Amino acid sequence: MLLLPKHQARPLYPFPAMAMIILLTLLFWEWLRPLPLLTATHAVYPFVLFFAAVLGLKVLSVKWYISLPLLSFMVLFFIHQLYFTVPLFSVSWLAYLVQDVLGAVLFILQREWVSVSFLSRTLFFFVLIWLIALSLYQSVLLRQRALYFVVMTITYLAVLDTFTPFEAQAAVIRAVISGFLLLSLVQWWRIARQTEAQQRLESVARPLSWLAMSLIIILVAAGVAYTAPKAEPAWPDPVAFIQGYGEGSGMKEKGVQRVGYGGSDKVLGGPFIQDDTVVFHALTDTLHYWRGESRDYYNGRGWENTDSMEIFFPFEEVGQIKTEMGFSLTESGTETEIIRAELYYEGERSQLFYPGDPLELRVFADTDVVLGWDIFSGRWYSYARSGRHQPAPLAGYELVSEYPSYSVKALKETNKEQVPPEIMNRYTQLPDSLPDRVRELAQEAAAGAATMYDQVRAIESYFRRNGYEYETEDVPVPGPDEDYVDQFLFETKRGYCDNFSSAMVVMLRTLDIPARWVKGFTSGEVVERTDGKLTTVVRNKNAHSWVEVYFPGTGWVPFEPTRTFQNPYQFVQDDVELSQEQEMAAVEEDFLEQQLAERLEHEDSEPAAALTDEQGSAAGFKTAGWMAAAGLVCVLLLSLTVLLFWRKVILSWVIWRYRQGMDREWLLNTYALLIRYLGRFIKPKHPSQTLREYILSLETHLDPDNINPLIRSFEETRYGNRQPSVSRMRQVYQIWQAVMKQLKS
């Protein structure tokens, strides 16, 4: 039997081995850094430490019966720290973990991927990292092949930078430096292993000096590349290109795709891609916004929350929530009415959306859940009853809410001095980098407003009166040194709800008026009216953001600055008398809104066939755009597959290609291919060697007794001009196929 022995590990020098581990860990860390921004992952350090631990134990040659328990305990320790509050050595959480994993396996077999809990997904992720670390150890530290991992890391970061809100400029620079240092060390180790005079090599090219020289060269090259002037991009941005080609609207500026209700708002801006995917169906008494959560901290690029504190309701039916919470959106001076709503998700979700102040909640779920309510953001979320912070998907829920209407008289009678200090401090925060002209513009817009309410109304209506346009496609992304609100107010003057609502909150805060940014959904589309009830469909395209302003005695009052949108909440004038100037302003505002609505309706009614024959129909462009995008994805997947498994792909194709024939030409061709791939994957043939001498020189990798029939058959055919028998050819084919399969593995 032909035998290709397994890879014979040679001793690794301590310094280069540890340096390779550090560089591999740094590169792997770059893969994990985007997760908190793009997913629900809150911490990546456990995964990074575990990855480094797997590599370290392999380099130290720790026996499997020691490393396996150590790494397993490490996984359990991190899972306990992430999800459980009971003592580490308690049996209860281990039993729950086993039960959850068994349930996850059942869900996977049933192809119910969404039902797999975050706990089980985290465990599976640790196992995946374990396998990745072992694969990289074999590939980089033993076989000295690191280029593909470096290329994949940089490609991964570039794709995220292009198609997601993650900014990867610094990450790419770090990856290039770490990757080239790793390639330098791998090259040193490859030379060290191939050189017979090992001691002489160590004296000439010690790994430390090799690494230091490489670091200097890499830093100089990276510094020159970073500081050198750069030409404009030769190719258009692929996101804008695909979108523009699909819609037939040409190129657009570089942007960030934002589809539906997102989890992170740290970076805002860019084109809004419409999405008609249904999020939920609702049966409700009246049309209203569906509130999701609020943000209180403006960072200059987007919104975050400074604090989070959840109150948990450990029962299925939550009654008298307002009494339990001791805190709500409305205060005693606000008139409310009771409304009821039922909501059914199109696909299971864990976050709840609501109008007004929820009083009662009853959820529809297959498992026991607890409801968590964040007192700062107002976000409602469903969690599994066991464990900590494990989202539990809901099929839907029904609720009873207090829906407010606001007295203009009461709002006008309030002032900033009545605002509690804790609310004033939290909700008037602004970054030091905010340009002064934003503050000056707010003061100019609110000039002449006598009350706090009048100032809010002046800012709200400012955008409708000063040429700001509602735009979802041609919306730029602020540069690294640009402020999101400042760019919208002074540079572009176009955008969608995020631009308008963020600008209003920031402008109010410059006037020391407490305000916050809120996001959720609009009322959606009414599809049926029955017995006073409205059936609505809410889609991803109905995701929306607006403004809430705090008024003492009334609570948080919503305002709608976005053009083409109307505030669904009712403001009662009471006995307030408007001045002639205010009446004229109100009439003018209504007239402008009516004109805008008519213009948008007219634009929406324009037939798609208005395009010229040369341009084609909009549907054709859209189809072509999707085909181009699908083709691009297929090419990327094919390229990635070839990059990862190129040896297997090539040799599998060669084996399949020469599976038939078995004549004289077949034997000569297959023997030539064998010599080529032996030289590529084991050792090159020296020009002075004959083919027999070369094959016999590989006796440490090939068994001469088994390979001799193949050599004799080739020599007889090539030089003796003989035709081997059928049985001999079959024997030769089996030997050749066995060698090729061993090379493939």
Side-chain angles (χ1 to χ4, degrees):
M1 177 181 178
L2 184 65
L3 179 62
L4 280 176
K6 294 183 178 180
H7 181 82
Q8 299 177 357
R10 303 185 185 182
L12 295 173
Y13 294 138
F15 174 77
M18 295 307 297
M20 289 181 193
I21 290 178
I22 293 173
L23 294 172
L24 279 173
T25 303
L26 291 176
L27 286 174
F28 185 71
W29 193 2
E30 299 298 343
W31 285 75
L32 301 181
R33 284 177 183 270
L35 295 186
L37 176 63
L38 304 178
T39 69
T41 306
H42 298 291
V44 299
Y45 73 89
F47 308 115
V48 177
L49 294 177
F50 180 73
F51 177 84
V54 175
L55 289 179
L57 291 175
K58 288 296 294 183
V59 169
L60 295 175
S61 300
V62 178
K63 299 296 184 181
W64 69 267
Y65 50 81
I66 298 177
S67 63
L68 182 61
L70 285 176
L71 294 173
S72 300
F73 176 79
M74 195 173 182
V75 171
L76 294 177
F77 174 79
F78 283 134
I79 288 179
H80 174 271
Q81 293 298 309
L82 291 172
Y83 291 99
F84 296 94
T85 57
V86 297
L88 176 62
F89 296 101
S90 172
V91 180
S92 60
W93 75 272
L94 288 172
Y96 177 81
L97 175 62
V98 173
Q99 181 183 2
D100 190 82
V101 172
L102 292 177
V105 173
L106 181 61
F107 286 135
I108 292 173
L109 295 177
Q110 296 173 349
R111 298 183 181 180
E112 298 180 7
W113 317 107
V114 179
S115 301
V116 178
S117 69
F118 278 78
L119 176 62
S120 296
R121 295 181 193 182
T122 303
L123 178 62
F124 297 153
F125 191 48
F126 272 113
V127 175
L128 176 63
I129 291 174
W130 199 332
L131 297 176
I132 291 174
L134 293 178
S135 176
L136 289 175
Y137 171 79
Q138 289 285 334
S139 178
V140 178
L141 280 89
L142 294 185
R143 299 181 180 177
Q144 300 86 52
R145 293 173 183 167
L147 179 60
Y148 80 95
F149 183 60
V150 176
V151 172
M152 285 179 59
T153 302
I154 297 174
T155 304
Y156 163 78
L157 294 173
V159 170
L160 290 187
D161 183 73
T162 303
F163 294 97
T164 73
F166 179 70
E167 296 185 359
Q169 291 90 340
V172 169
I173 294 175
R174 292 193 300 266
V176 168
I177 294 175
S178 301
F180 275 83
L181 285 176
L182 178 63
L183 293 175
S184 175
L185 274 179
V186 167
Q187 179 65 19
W188 178 90
W189 181 234
R190 182 184 291 114
I191 295 174
R193 293 187 58 182
Q194 293 177 353
T195 303
E196 297 179 0
Q198 193 71 262
Q199 298 297 328
R200 185 175 71 251
L201 176 68
E202 292 176 21
S203 63
V204 175
R206 294 185 177 88
L208 182 59
S209 60
W210 182 289
L211 184 62
M213 184 58 65
S214 301
L215 179 61
I216 294 173
I217 296 174
I218 293 169
L219 289 178
V220 170
V224 171
Y226 183 78
T227 57
K230 301 170 182 61
E232 292 296 323
W235 294 348
D237 177 71
V239 176
F241 173 77
I242 293 173
Q243 180 189 359
Y245 187 72
E247 297 176 357
S249 56
M251 297 300 100
K252 296 178 177 62
E253 297 181 51
K254 180 180 178 180
V256 178
Q257 295 192 57
R258 297 185 55 80
V259 183
Y261 189 92
S264 175
D265 307 293
K266 295 180 180 179
V267 180
L268 298 177
F272 182 92
I273 310 302
Q274 294 288 355
D275 183 1
D276 289 330
T277 303
V278 176
V279 180
F280 59 83
H281 301 263
L283 183 66
T284 181
D285 293 336
T286 183
L287 294 179
H288 49 71
Y289 282 178
W290 297 90
R291 191 183 194 277
E293 58 190 305
S294 65
R295 306 288 192 200
D296 61 14
Y297 184 84
Y298 178 65
N299 60 23
R301 305 296 301 278
W303 292 94
E304 306 174 50
N305 279 330
T306 52
D307 290 304
S308 176
M309 186 170 72
E310 285 185 305
I311 298 176
F312 292 95
F313 297 87
F315 30 81
E316 182 178 355
E317 293 195 17
V318 180
Q320 297 303 315
I321 295 175
K322 197 169 183 179
T323 304
E324 295 286 344
M325 294 188 303
F327 182 86
S328 63
L329 298 175
T330 57
E331 297 181 1
S332 58
T334 306
E335 293 186 5
T336 60
E337 62 174 327
I338 300 299
I339 64 171
R340 291 173 170 80
E342 295 180 23
L343 186 148
Y344 300 91
Y345 287 120
E346 191 77 14
E348 296 180 327
R349 287 176 175 254
S350 300
Q351 184 170 356
L352 285 72
F353 302 92
Y354 56 93
D357 265 329
L359 292 179
E360 299 178 12
L361 265 174
R362 187 168 70 89
V363 300
F364 310 139
D366 297 332
T367 58
D368 253 356
V369 302
V370 296
L371 297 179
W373 183 78
D374 191 298
I375 68 172
F376 293 105
S377 68
R379 186 187 77 159
W380 280 93
Y381 217 74
S382 63
Y383 299 100
R385 185 178 294 275
S386 304
R388 183 179 68 179
H389 289 169
Q390 300 173 42
L394 302 176
Y397 53 91
E398 61 180 5
L399 59 84
V400 178
S401 289
E402 283 186 331
Y403 195 70
S405 60
Y406 301 102
S407 167
V408 174
K409 179 180 179 181
L411 295 175
K412 282 179 172 289
E413 291 174 352
T414 59
N415 57 69
K416 304 171 190 175
E417 287 71 22
Q418 298 171 327
V419 178
E422 61 273 13
I423 292 181
M424 181 64 76
N425 293 335
R426 178 183 296 274
Y427 296 105
T428 56
Q429 169 273 335
L430 290 171
D432 295 335
S433 59
L434 183 72
D436 292 336
R437 61 180 180 174
V438 176
R439 192 181 309 273
E440 296 168 359
L441 180 64
Q443 293 172 351
E444 177 184 342
T451 67
M452 175 178 167
Y453 173 77
D454 292 333
Q455 289 180 317
V456 174
R457 279 299 193 187
I459 299 298
E460 182 187 39
S461 62
Y462 173 81
F463 308 103
R464 292 177 168 88
R465 300 172 180 275
N466 291 275
Y468 289 84
E469 298 180 3
Y470 183 83
E471 172 65 53
T472 62
E473 297 179 354
D474 189 13
V475 182
V477 179
D481 300 326
E482 287 185 296
D483 184 271
Y484 175 66
V485 167
D486 179 79
Q487 182 200 54
F488 168 69
L489 290 176
F490 297 98
E491 304 297 335
T492 63
K493 292 191 174 184
R494 65 180 184 274
Y496 43 89
C497 57
D498 290 348
N499 300 90
F500 286 92
S501 56
S502 297
M504 180 175 176
V505 174
V506 170
M507 292 175 72
L508 290 176
R509 290 186 175 190
T510 64
L511 302 175
D512 291 329
I513 297 177
R516 62 189 182 189
W517 188 78
V518 188
K519 65 176 185 174
F521 291 94
T522 60
S523 55
E525 176 188 359
V526 178
V527 295
E528 185 179 352
R529 300 174 186 265
T530 307
D531 299 331
K533 290 283 189 178
L534 303 175
T535 301
T536 62
V537 177
V538 177
R539 307 174 185 272
N540 269 332
K541 68 179 182 180
N542 298 126
H544 189 53
S545 61
W546 59 95
V547 179
E548 286 180 351
V549 181
Y550 180 78
F551 288 85
T554 300
W556 290 97
V557 181
F559 291 89
E560 180 55 87
T562 306
R563 298 198 66 172
T564 76
F565 288 80
Q566 294 290 338
N567 195 339
Y569 291 89
Q570 184 178 5
F571 289 80
V572 181
Q573 294 292 337
D574 297 326
D575 56 351
V576 176
E577 295 184 2
L578 298 178
S579 65
Q580 183 178 4
E581 181 181 351
Q582 290 173 322
E583 289 180 354
M584 292 298 295
V587 171
E588 179 186 358
E589 183 174 335
D590 292 341
F591 176 72
L592 290 174
E593 287 297 332
Q594 182 180 359
Q595 277 193 324
L596 178 62
E598 291 175 355
R599 180 172 63 84
L600 290 175
E601 183 179 356
H602 175 71
E603 290 177 356
D604 291 341
S605 64
E606 287 293 328
L611 295 174
T612 63
D613 293 338
E614 183 179 350
Q615 290 174 313
S617 67
F621 274 116
K622 187 172 183 178
T623 302
W626 281 112
M627 292 178 62
L632 178 62
V633 171
C634 292
V635 171
L636 290 175
L637 291 177
L638 180 61
S639 302
L640 183 61
T641 302
V642 173
L643 183 64
L644 289 175
F645 307 105
W646 64 278
R647 178 195 288 197
K648 294 181 182 297
V649 171
I650 292 175
L651 294 179
S652 296
W653 182 85
V654 170
I655 294 174
W656 179 85
R657 171 67 176 80
Y658 290 93
R659 69 191 186 282
Q660 295 178 350
M662 295 190 185
D663 53 11
R664 184 176 185 277
E665 292 299 323
W666 174 89
L667 179 60
L668 297 178
N669 291 334
T670 54
Y671 194 80
L673 287 172
L674 178 63
I675 299 299
R676 178 193 302 175
Y677 290 118
L678 286 174
R680 178 177 297 179
F681 300 130
I682 297 182
K683 188 178 73 173
K685 174 182 173 296
H686 195 276
S688 63
Q689 289 179 311
T690 65
L691 294 180
R692 172 177 285 272
E693 290 173 343
Y694 171 65
I695 292 292
L696 294 179
S697 70
L698 303 177
E699 59 181 357
T700 58
H701 301 274
L702 303 174
D703 187 345
D705 294 334
N706 290 328
I707 200 71
N708 275 333
L710 178 59
I711 300 175
R712 287 198 300 271
S713 297
F714 170 76
E715 291 175 341
E716 292 173 355
T717 303
R718 178 68 178 82
Y719 303 109
N721 199 22
R722 297 180 181 179
Q723 178 65 36
S725 63
V726 175
S727 60
R728 186 65 175 272
M729 291 290 286
R730 289 176 180 172
Q731 181 186 14
V732 168
Y733 173 73
Q734 291 176 356
I735 296 173
W736 177 83
Q737 185 183 47
V739 176
M740 298 296 284
K741 286 183 177 180
Q742 290 288 349
L743 287 176
K744 185 176 69 171
S745 62

